[in-house]
Amino acid sequence: MTKRALITGITGQDGSYLAELLLRKGYEVHGLVRRSSSFNTSRIDHLYTDSHAKDARLFLHSCDLSDSARLAGVIRDIAPHEVYNLAAQSHVRVSFDEPEYTADITGTGTVRLLDAIRLAGVDTRFYQASSSELYGATPPPQDENTPFYPRSPYGVAKLYSYWITKNYREAYDMFAVNGILFNHESPRRGETFVTRKITRAVAAISMGRQNELWMGNLDAVRDWGYAAEYVEGMWRMLQNDTPEDFVLSTNTSYTVRDFLELAFSHVGLNWQDYVHFDERYLRPTEVDALIGDSTKAKTQLGWEATVHPPELAKIMVEADIKYLETGGTHWIDTPKLASWN
């Protein structure tokens, strides 16, 4: 039997890696995309011709997490065996400027999707993309038992999604899980996120196309992993015998300053010669340190991160240099992960 999976947010970083992984595993993959006047599928366009996915199937459906009726119809039509909810307004700093939209899509969108599954009566397993931003001001290390203290509209919206997923699991006996993923990056990361902002600038500066980089808080400590590895963890959560919540992290800690050093040194440059401070990039409420403990995922799922920030920075800088060298025509990286074979 060919398994069917539905991915919301399929055109994003995580959605593209997950679609790639599932196609390699022989799934029929369906993705939700928001209707717009222009195409935004660059992260998944290669999947239509990927030789590893030639025997699988990929379908895109116009749908938005704000449309309950459309969600219910799509769920009934596809009858997916697995649903991965990765769609969100996912930029923390932007959530302060657009709190209502963030609450509606990142928060309420989850219950719309869960209720569509319930009403359709489809026997499916549900994955909710939770976030380390749930912990916010709670001191690290942070695991599945650490109290939550979100410090942004994004974190608060994700907290609602976390609890409504647990509620539907307990109230309706749904196989619904939360993956509490710490920061995970890649060459497919959006250009306004701090790691990609850095590696894009490093590539441009090394090629003489940019002279400076303006940054906010350099002291923030984060647990940065490689997104291509993390989607394997998502999949494993839905293959588990029982629905449980899991943290995925590298269990390492680096400051933004550290990441600047790693990225600039890869091209032989001193970051201090190019980086300047701009208070506009500060959050109204900062999150000082997010450092995960993914012992449970290693023990129960056999999942463990192998790419840490030094290698991650190298992967991203080299991809951004290639992107600029080819005039923006080749930026999709091809993960070389043993678990994908």
Side-chain angles (χ1 to χ4, degrees):
M1 179 190 70
T2 300
K3 280 191 173 182
R4 293 181 302 280
L6 174 64
I7 304 172
T8 72
I10 194 171
T11 59
Q13 170 190 254
D14 291 5
S16 69
Y17 282 121
L18 180 60
E20 191 171 356
L21 172 70
L22 296 180
L23 288 170
R24 287 172 183 261
K25 291 182 179 293
Y27 278 65
E28 177 180 300
V29 176
H30 296 258
L32 300 189
V33 295
R34 287 177 296 175
R35 186 180 297 278
S36 68
S37 59
S38 60
F39 292 106
N40 185 29
T41 58
S42 58
R43 292 184 178 94
I44 59 173
D45 286 343
H46 68 291
L47 296 180
Y48 290 102
T49 57
D50 187 346
S51 60
H52 293 284
K54 65 182 179 181
D55 296 324
R57 307 177 74 187
L58 175 63
F59 301 94
L60 301 181
H61 307 264
S62 294
C63 187
D64 192 288
L65 288 186
S66 64
D67 190 340
S68 301
R70 176 63 176 152
L71 280 172
V74 169
I75 293 292
R76 282 194 301 268
D77 292 344
I78 298 172
H81 299 96
E82 297 172 5
V83 174
Y84 297 85
N85 184 29
L86 310 184
Q89 189 300 100
S90 58
H91 199 289
V92 177
R93 182 62 188 84
V94 170
S95 75
F96 285 98
D97 299 324
E98 301 184 19
E100 185 176 348
Y101 176 75
T102 301
D104 184 40
I105 300 302
T106 307
T108 313
T110 302
V111 75
R112 293 190 188 104
L113 185 53
L114 283 165
D115 217 44
I117 293 170
R118 180 183 70 86
L119 294 173
V122 175
D123 183 15
T124 189
R125 296 188 170 199
F126 178 84
Y127 172 86
Q128 169 59 28
S130 287
S131 167
S132 59
E133 289 287 335
L134 295 176
Y135 299 114
T138 306
Q142 295 123 344
D143 64 14
E144 294 83 0
N145 298 313
T146 302
F148 299 133
Y149 192 157
R151 297 265 287 170
S152 66
Y154 170 79
V156 172
K158 281 292 188 181
L159 184 60
Y160 174 82
S161 289
Y162 172 90
W163 282 113
I164 200 65
T165 298
K166 287 178 70 75
N167 180 255
Y168 269 64
R169 180 167 74 209
E170 296 169 359
Y172 303 113
D173 197 29
M174 292 177 62
F175 194 109
V177 307
N178 287 288
I180 308 173
L181 274 57
F182 280 66
N183 295 69
H184 45 290
E185 320 296 313
S186 77
R188 304 183 194 181
R189 190 58 142 153
E191 296 170 10
T192 60
F193 288 84
V194 66
T195 53
R196 186 81 196 290
K197 177 181 176 180
I198 290 170
T199 61
R200 285 272 286 166
V202 168
I205 290 170
S206 71
M207 299 173 70
R209 301 187 184 186
Q210 186 171 324
N211 298 318
E212 54 190 6
L213 171 62
W214 293 86
M215 299 288 295
N217 181 12
L218 302 188
D219 296 318
V221 177
R222 292 295 183 267
D223 182 329
W224 281 300
Y226 185 28
E229 288 191 317
Y230 282 51
V231 297
E232 170 79 20
M234 298 177 188
W235 176 78
R236 292 193 184 194
M237 290 181 208
L238 293 195
Q239 314 316 306
N240 202 31
D241 291 335
T242 57
E244 299 182 45
D245 305 323
F246 291 90
V247 162
L248 298 186
S249 62
T250 67
N251 308 343
T252 65
S253 59
Y254 289 78
T255 64
V256 174
R257 184 179 287 102
D258 292 332
F259 199 89
L260 282 165
E261 170 65 26
L262 291 169
F264 274 90
S265 64
H266 184 63
V267 295
L269 296 176
N270 181 354
W271 68 270
Q272 294 174 311
D273 294 335
Y274 303 94
V275 176
H276 308 283
F277 173 73
D278 187 337
E279 64 179 10
R280 291 176 298 176
Y281 292 117
L282 297 176
R283 302 180 187 181
T285 46
E286 287 287 342
V287 172
D288 296 326
L290 297 174
I291 308 168
D293 178 354
S294 55
T295 301
K296 181 181 177 182
K298 180 179 179 180
T299 302
Q300 296 189 28
L301 302 178
W303 182 90
E304 184 176 15
T306 64
V307 177
H308 293 169
E311 184 180 356
L312 177 63
K314 176 182 177 181
I315 290 170
M316 294 177 66
V317 168
E318 290 183 351
D320 275 322
I321 289 174
K322 181 179 179 181
Y323 178 81
L324 293 180
E325 287 177 341
T326 60
T329 58
H330 296 286
W331 68 282
I332 292 291
D333 59 324
T334 303
K336 305 296 184 182
L337 305 175
S339 60
W340 284 35
N341 297 327

